Amino acid sequence: MVEKGSLLRIHCYPIRFPRCYQVQWKSRVIANEEHYLVLDKPDGVPVSYTVDNRLENCLRCTAQAIGREEDLYITHRLDQPTSGVLIMGKTKEFVAFFNKLLSNRAKCLEKRYRVLTKRPLPLGNHEAYIYPVEHIGRNPQRYEISAMQVPNSKYCDLKVISSSQITLGSKPDGKGWDNWVEGEKAFESTVILGTGRTHQIRAMAKFLGSPVFGDTLQDANNPEVVHDRIALQAYELRINTNIDDENETFFLGSKDCSNAMEKFFGGKKEVVFRAKEPWWRQPSCDSEAKNAA
């Protein structure tokens, strides 16, 4: 029953995410604890719901896989085409606690990513400024990077800690993979993002001369092809639970901090969550989808 004067919005052509029906969700659970769940997020599925689709997302699909009646709670995000470690809350108490960790990520959290590019990313620290550019249709927002600060830009800090050569396997399905040649060499780099979100890694890779494989969103010459999968994985998340008195001030007090760490992480000095091998190292780039079929 819709009351008189209410606004009823009907989406005749909602954005769909069929990838969620190809995923073996239970097999992707890294940790399933009382207050939180850690997922090896699949590419092609958004973390949370969109304005026109509340069903096809990680919060809903993972909850259904573990037999939970209500959706899991969001604590942080990964881009839709990005895969890897994703922590979701089971209780609002944990979500509030994790948000405090995020607000002090330099002391409490370290995220490491795997990035696959045509050429190696130069090792070391890289600083720049990211800013949004034109928004095309229903595609996600594009970003550019500048070495100097410009209006509406945000500081970006990326550290490349290693880069190794690998051999490309079979070409992924779909359009826009012309630069992927089976048997040719590519470079897998491990990076730490000191600021912001994963789209900064994508923009920074382009800025450093080698865009992430599959990331046509950063290609102004090919904006109409937007992949559900790119070669970017959040492969490791480290949580520092051994916080000293000086750094405990972001909680209500040292006692509250210690109690929270004990409650959620069992008093461990460090908690580490790792994703499985990235999709580009699999025998077939689309093996999960083919197995589900």
Side-chain angles (χ1 to χ4, degrees):
M1 177 70 70
V2 179
E3 296 182 3
K4 184 178 180 179
S6 299
L7 175 65
L8 177 63
R9 174 183 289 179
I10 299 175
H11 296 276
C12 299
Y13 302 101
I15 298 177
R16 300 296 306 275
F17 305 101
R19 175 79 170 99
C20 71
Y21 303 108
Q22 302 169 343
V23 175
Q24 301 173 29
W25 290 94
K26 278 190 176 180
S27 69
R28 284 184 166 270
V29 175
I30 299 172
N32 187 4
E33 305 296 340
E34 179 182 357
H35 295 275
Y36 64 90
L37 183 145
V38 185
L39 180 74
D40 186 356
K41 176 192 174 297
D43 50 75
V45 182
V47 171
S48 186
Y49 58 82
T50 61
V51 68
D52 56 356
N53 188 336
R54 298 185 66 90
L55 302 178
E56 297 169 342
N57 58 74
C58 291
L59 301 179
R60 172 66 61 89
C61 292
T62 309
Q64 291 177 338
I66 64 173
R68 179 183 168 96
E69 293 185 0
E70 60 178 340
D71 292 354
L72 293 163
Y73 298 117
I74 188 171
T75 62
H76 63 117
R77 296 178 184 272
L78 293 175
D79 292 345
Q80 178 196 331
T82 302
S83 59
V85 177
L86 175 70
I87 297 183
M88 296 175 283
K90 288 185 175 181
T91 63
K92 292 182 180 180
E93 181 185 9
F94 176 80
V95 174
F97 164 78
F98 196 79
N99 285 338
K100 291 178 180 178
L101 294 183
L102 287 174
S103 66
N104 289 266
R105 67 179 65 197
K107 301 180 180 71
C108 304
L109 299 175
E110 181 182 271
K111 295 182 180 180
R112 296 192 176 198
Y113 297 83
R114 290 186 176 119
V115 188
L116 187 66
T117 55
K118 189 75 171 179
R119 292 175 292 278
L121 298 179
L123 300 180
N125 290 311
H126 304 280
E127 299 177 340
Y129 294 87
I130 186 169
Y131 59 95
V133 294
E134 74 276 8
H135 199 171
I136 301 175
R138 301 177 77 179
N139 289 341
Q141 177 69 59
R142 287 183 58 244
Y143 293 88
E144 291 289 351
I145 290 279
S146 171
M148 305 295 292
Q149 189 170 12
V150 298
N152 300 320
S153 65
K154 293 183 178 180
Y155 175 70
C156 182
D157 175 22
L158 183 75
K159 182 178 182 180
V160 182
I161 60 177
S162 69
S163 184
S164 59
Q165 191 177 76
I166 70 168
T167 302
L168 294 177
S170 58
K171 180 183 293 188
D173 293 338
K175 299 179 180 179
W177 295 95
D178 296 338
N179 62 341
W180 182 294
V181 180
E182 183 175 354
E184 284 197 354
K185 301 299 182 182
F187 292 86
E188 182 182 283
S189 301
T190 300
V191 305
I192 299 175
L193 181 63
T195 56
R197 299 177 179 177
T198 51
H199 66 254
Q200 293 191 357
I201 298 177
R202 300 163 64 176
M204 188 66 103
K206 176 187 175 184
F207 178 72
L208 294 174
S210 192
V212 177
F213 267 109
D215 192 13
T216 53
L217 181 63
Q218 301 301 327
D219 183 0
N221 298 318
N222 196 21
E224 71 280 0
V225 179
V226 178
H227 288 151
D228 289 332
R229 162 187 286 176
I230 61 175
L232 174 61
Q233 181 198 45
Y235 92 92
E236 183 179 272
L237 174 62
R238 292 177 176 267
I239 302 175
N240 174 24
T241 62
N242 188 28
I243 299 184
D244 57 40
D245 294 336
E246 179 183 354
N247 294 334
E248 287 170 351
T249 56
F250 68 89
F251 287 94
L252 297 178
S254 60
K255 183 178 180 181
D256 294 308
C257 176
S258 300
N259 289 343
M261 292 297 187
E262 177 68 31
K263 180 175 183 177
F264 297 128
F265 301 120
K268 298 178 182 178
K269 292 185 177 181
E270 183 180 55
V271 180
V272 181
F273 300 112
R274 293 188 180 93
K276 297 180 181 178
E277 292 288 279
W279 60 263
W280 59 84
R281 290 194 197 171
Q282 304 298 324
S284 170
C285 289
D286 301 287
S287 57
E288 186 176 39
K290 292 174 182 177
N291 290 337

PDB file of all heavy atoms in Angstrom, residues 232-249:
ATOM      1  N   LEU A 232      43.364  -6.070 -10.250  1.00  0.00           N
ATOM      2  CA  LEU A 232      43.696  -5.401  -8.995  1.00  0.00           C
ATOM      3  C   LEU A 232      43.056  -6.177  -7.857  1.00  0.00           C
ATOM      4  O   LEU A 232      41.846  -6.409  -7.858  1.00  0.00           O
ATOM      5  CB  LEU A 232      43.190  -3.956  -9.007  1.00  0.00           C
ATOM      6  CG  LEU A 232      43.339  -3.154  -7.710  1.00  0.00           C
ATOM      7  CD1 LEU A 232      44.803  -3.031  -7.306  1.00  0.00           C
ATOM      8  CD2 LEU A 232      42.714  -1.764  -7.876  1.00  0.00           C
ATOM      9  N   GLN A 233      43.876  -6.596  -6.892  1.00  0.00           N
ATOM     10  CA  GLN A 233      43.390  -7.408  -5.772  1.00  0.00           C
ATOM     11  C   GLN A 233      43.885  -6.838  -4.448  1.00  0.00           C
ATOM     12  O   GLN A 233      45.071  -6.566  -4.277  1.00  0.00           O
ATOM     13  CB  GLN A 233      43.873  -8.855  -5.904  1.00  0.00           C
ATOM     14  CG  GLN A 233      43.374  -9.766  -4.778  1.00  0.00           C
ATOM     15  CD  GLN A 233      44.176 -11.052  -4.664  1.00  0.00           C
ATOM     16  OE1 GLN A 233      45.404 -11.041  -4.705  1.00  0.00           O
ATOM     17  NE2 GLN A 233      43.472 -12.169  -4.546  1.00  0.00           N
ATOM     18  N   ALA A 234      42.955  -6.658  -3.521  1.00  0.00           N
ATOM     19  CA  ALA A 234      43.315  -6.319  -2.138  1.00  0.00           C
ATOM     20  C   ALA A 234      43.673  -7.623  -1.448  1.00  0.00           C
ATOM     21  O   ALA A 234      42.818  -8.308  -0.910  1.00  0.00           O
ATOM     22  CB  ALA A 234      42.141  -5.637  -1.443  1.00  0.00           C
ATOM     23  N   TYR A 235      44.946  -7.992  -1.481  1.00  0.00           N
ATOM     24  CA  TYR A 235      45.298  -9.353  -1.110  1.00  0.00           C
ATOM     25  C   TYR A 235      45.610  -9.541   0.374  1.00  0.00           C
ATOM     26  O   TYR A 235      45.565 -10.666   0.878  1.00  0.00           O
ATOM     27  CB  TYR A 235      46.459  -9.860  -1.967  1.00  0.00           C
ATOM     28  CG  TYR A 235      47.845  -9.652  -1.415  1.00  0.00           C
ATOM     29  CD1 TYR A 235      48.461 -10.634  -0.629  1.00  0.00           C
ATOM     30  CD2 TYR A 235      48.569  -8.502  -1.698  1.00  0.00           C
ATOM     31  CE1 TYR A 235      49.742 -10.447  -0.138  1.00  0.00           C
ATOM     32  CE2 TYR A 235      49.845  -8.317  -1.222  1.00  0.00           C
ATOM     33  CZ  TYR A 235      50.427  -9.294  -0.438  1.00  0.00           C
ATOM     34  OH  TYR A 235      51.690  -9.103   0.038  1.00  0.00           O
ATOM     35  N   GLU A 236      45.904  -8.447   1.095  1.00  0.00           N
ATOM     36  CA  GLU A 236      46.247  -8.622   2.510  1.00  0.00           C
ATOM     37  C   GLU A 236      45.800  -7.414   3.324  1.00  0.00           C
ATOM     38  O   GLU A 236      45.974  -6.267   2.914  1.00  0.00           O
ATOM     39  CB  GLU A 236      47.755  -8.814   2.669  1.00  0.00           C
ATOM     40  CG  GLU A 236      48.199  -9.073   4.104  1.00  0.00           C
ATOM     41  CD  GLU A 236      49.699  -9.270   4.212  1.00  0.00           C
ATOM     42  OE1 GLU A 236      50.137 -10.421   4.065  1.00  0.00           O
ATOM     43  OE2 GLU A 236      50.433  -8.278   4.408  1.00  0.00           O
ATOM     44  N   LEU A 237      45.228  -7.690   4.498  1.00  0.00           N
ATOM     45  CA  LEU A 237      44.848  -6.645   5.443  1.00  0.00           C
ATOM     46  C   LEU A 237      45.437  -6.997   6.800  1.00  0.00           C
ATOM     47  O   LEU A 237      45.155  -8.057   7.354  1.00  0.00           O
ATOM     48  CB  LEU A 237      43.326  -6.527   5.548  1.00  0.00           C
ATOM     49  CG  LEU A 237      42.792  -5.555   6.613  1.00  0.00           C
ATOM     50  CD1 LEU A 237      43.249  -4.130   6.314  1.00  0.00           C
ATOM     51  CD2 LEU A 237      41.272  -5.616   6.683  1.00  0.00           C
ATOM     52  N   ARG A 238      46.264  -6.100   7.325  1.00  0.00           N
ATOM     53  CA  ARG A 238      46.879  -6.289   8.637  1.00  0.00           C
ATOM     54  C   ARG A 238      46.259  -5.306   9.634  1.00  0.00           C
ATOM     55  O   ARG A 238      46.163  -4.114   9.345  1.00  0.00           O
ATOM     56  CB  ARG A 238      48.396  -6.061   8.573  1.00  0.00           C
ATOM     57  CG  ARG A 238      49.140  -7.126   7.777  1.00  0.00           C
ATOM     58  CD  ARG A 238      50.624  -6.815   7.692  1.00  0.00           C
ATOM     59  NE  ARG A 238      51.340  -7.882   7.010  1.00  0.00           N
ATOM     60  CZ  ARG A 238      51.917  -8.904   7.621  1.00  0.00           C
ATOM     61  NH1 ARG A 238      51.898  -8.971   8.953  1.00  0.00           N
ATOM     62  NH2 ARG A 238      52.538  -9.838   6.938  1.00  0.00           N
ATOM     63  N   ILE A 239      45.872  -5.820  10.789  1.00  0.00           N
ATOM     64  CA  ILE A 239      45.313  -4.987  11.848  1.00  0.00           C
ATOM     65  C   ILE A 239      46.257  -5.037  13.031  1.00  0.00           C
ATOM     66  O   ILE A 239      46.525  -6.106  13.582  1.00  0.00           O
ATOM     67  CB  ILE A 239      43.913  -5.478  12.259  1.00  0.00           C
ATOM     68  CG1 ILE A 239      42.973  -5.466  11.051  1.00  0.00           C
ATOM     69  CG2 ILE A 239      43.348  -4.601  13.376  1.00  0.00           C
ATOM     70  CD1 ILE A 239      41.609  -6.040  11.344  1.00  0.00           C
ATOM     71  N   ASN A 240      46.768  -3.873  13.402  1.00  0.00           N
ATOM     72  CA  ASN A 240      47.657  -3.771  14.551  1.00  0.00           C
ATOM     73  C   ASN A 240      46.811  -3.637  15.811  1.00  0.00           C
ATOM     74  O   ASN A 240      46.202  -2.596  16.057  1.00  0.00           O
ATOM     75  CB  ASN A 240      48.584  -2.565  14.397  1.00  0.00           C
ATOM     76  CG  ASN A 240      49.442  -2.332  15.628  1.00  0.00           C
ATOM     77  OD1 ASN A 240      49.694  -3.263  16.417  1.00  0.00           O
ATOM     78  ND2 ASN A 240      49.891  -1.100  15.814  1.00  0.00           N
ATOM     79  N   THR A 241      46.743  -4.686  16.599  1.00  0.00           N
ATOM     80  CA  THR A 241      45.948  -4.650  17.830  1.00  0.00           C
ATOM     81  C   THR A 241      46.785  -4.294  19.048  1.00  0.00           C
ATOM     82  O   THR A 241      46.264  -4.124  20.146  1.00  0.00           O
ATOM     83  CB  THR A 241      45.283  -6.023  18.072  1.00  0.00           C
ATOM     84  OG1 THR A 241      46.305  -7.014  18.251  1.00  0.00           O
ATOM     85  CG2 THR A 241      44.410  -6.415  16.900  1.00  0.00           C
ATOM     86  N   ASN A 242      48.102  -4.170  18.858  1.00  0.00           N
ATOM     87  CA  ASN A 242      49.004  -3.855  19.972  1.00  0.00           C
ATOM     88  C   ASN A 242      49.267  -2.347  19.971  1.00  0.00           C
ATOM     89  O   ASN A 242      50.367  -1.884  19.678  1.00  0.00           O
ATOM     90  CB  ASN A 242      50.312  -4.638  19.834  1.00  0.00           C
ATOM     91  CG  ASN A 242      51.204  -4.494  21.053  1.00  0.00           C
ATOM     92  OD1 ASN A 242      50.716  -4.278  22.165  1.00  0.00           O
ATOM     93  ND2 ASN A 242      52.503  -4.598  20.847  1.00  0.00           N
ATOM     94  N   ILE A 243      48.241  -1.574  20.298  1.00  0.00           N
ATOM     95  CA  ILE A 243      48.328  -0.118  20.233  1.00  0.00           C
ATOM     96  C   ILE A 243      48.795   0.433  21.571  1.00  0.00           C
ATOM     97  O   ILE A 243      48.238   0.097  22.618  1.00  0.00           O
ATOM     98  CB  ILE A 243      46.976   0.480  19.831  1.00  0.00           C
ATOM     99  CG1 ILE A 243      46.587  -0.057  18.449  1.00  0.00           C
ATOM    100  CG2 ILE A 243      47.022   1.998  19.834  1.00  0.00           C
ATOM    101  CD1 ILE A 243      45.329   0.508  17.894  1.00  0.00           C
ATOM    102  N   ASP A 244      49.811   1.292  21.550  1.00  0.00           N
ATOM    103  CA  ASP A 244      50.346   1.834  22.798  1.00  0.00           C
ATOM    104  C   ASP A 244      49.432   2.924  23.349  1.00  0.00           C
ATOM    105  O   ASP A 244      48.485   3.374  22.711  1.00  0.00           O
ATOM    106  CB  ASP A 244      51.776   2.350  22.599  1.00  0.00           C
ATOM    107  CG  ASP A 244      51.866   3.400  21.500  1.00  0.00           C
ATOM    108  OD1 ASP A 244      50.956   4.236  21.415  1.00  0.00           O
ATOM    109  OD2 ASP A 244      52.838   3.365  20.725  1.00  0.00           O
ATOM    110  N   ASP A 245      49.756   3.365  24.565  1.00  0.00           N
ATOM    111  CA  ASP A 245      48.903   4.329  25.258  1.00  0.00           C
ATOM    112  C   ASP A 245      48.726   5.619  24.470  1.00  0.00           C
ATOM    113  O   ASP A 245      47.654   6.217  24.451  1.00  0.00           O
ATOM    114  CB  ASP A 245      49.476   4.649  26.642  1.00  0.00           C
ATOM    115  CG  ASP A 245      49.434   3.443  27.571  1.00  0.00           C
ATOM    116  OD1 ASP A 245      48.592   2.565  27.323  1.00  0.00           O
ATOM    117  OD2 ASP A 245      50.224   3.400  28.529  1.00  0.00           O
ATOM    118  N   GLU A 246      49.782   6.067  23.806  1.00  0.00           N
ATOM    119  CA  GLU A 246      49.718   7.331  23.067  1.00  0.00           C
ATOM    120  C   GLU A 246      48.697   7.252  21.939  1.00  0.00           C
ATOM    121  O   GLU A 246      48.003   8.219  21.634  1.00  0.00           O
ATOM    122  CB  GLU A 246      51.098   7.663  22.503  1.00  0.00           C
ATOM    123  CG  GLU A 246      51.126   8.955  21.693  1.00  0.00           C
ATOM    124  CD  GLU A 246      52.488   9.217  21.085  1.00  0.00           C
ATOM    125  OE1 GLU A 246      53.424   8.455  21.398  1.00  0.00           O
ATOM    126  OE2 GLU A 246      52.598  10.186  20.323  1.00  0.00           O
ATOM    127  N   ASN A 247      48.609   6.087  21.294  1.00  0.00           N
ATOM    128  CA  ASN A 247      47.726   5.940  20.151  1.00  0.00           C
ATOM    129  C   ASN A 247      46.325   5.495  20.539  1.00  0.00           C
ATOM    130  O   ASN A 247      45.461   5.367  19.679  1.00  0.00           O
ATOM    131  CB  ASN A 247      48.312   4.915  19.170  1.00  0.00           C
ATOM    132  CG  ASN A 247      49.608   5.409  18.565  1.00  0.00           C
ATOM    133  OD1 ASN A 247      49.823   6.606  18.472  1.00  0.00           O
ATOM    134  ND2 ASN A 247      50.470   4.482  18.179  1.00  0.00           N
ATOM    135  N   GLU A 248      46.095   5.230  21.813  1.00  0.00           N
ATOM    136  CA  GLU A 248      44.785   4.756  22.232  1.00  0.00           C
ATOM    137  C   GLU A 248      43.788   5.891  22.415  1.00  0.00           C
ATOM    138  O   GLU A 248      42.614   5.658  22.694  1.00  0.00           O
ATOM    139  CB  GLU A 248      44.918   3.970  23.538  1.00  0.00           C
ATOM    140  CG  GLU A 248      45.575   2.596  23.348  1.00  0.00           C
ATOM    141  CD  GLU A 248      45.912   1.924  24.664  1.00  0.00           C
ATOM    142  OE1 GLU A 248      45.790   2.581  25.704  1.00  0.00           O
ATOM    143  OE2 GLU A 248      46.292   0.756  24.646  1.00  0.00           O
ATOM    144  N   THR A 249      44.226   7.128  22.242  1.00  0.00           N
ATOM    145  CA  THR A 249      43.358   8.259  22.526  1.00  0.00           C
ATOM    146  C   THR A 249      42.204   8.380  21.541  1.00  0.00           C
ATOM    147  O   THR A 249      41.237   9.068  21.816  1.00  0.00           O
ATOM    148  CB  THR A 249      44.172   9.560  22.506  1.00  0.00           C
ATOM    149  OG1 THR A 249      44.837   9.680  21.237  1.00  0.00           O
ATOM    150  CG2 THR A 249      45.205   9.565  23.614  1.00  0.00           C
TER     151      THR A 249
END
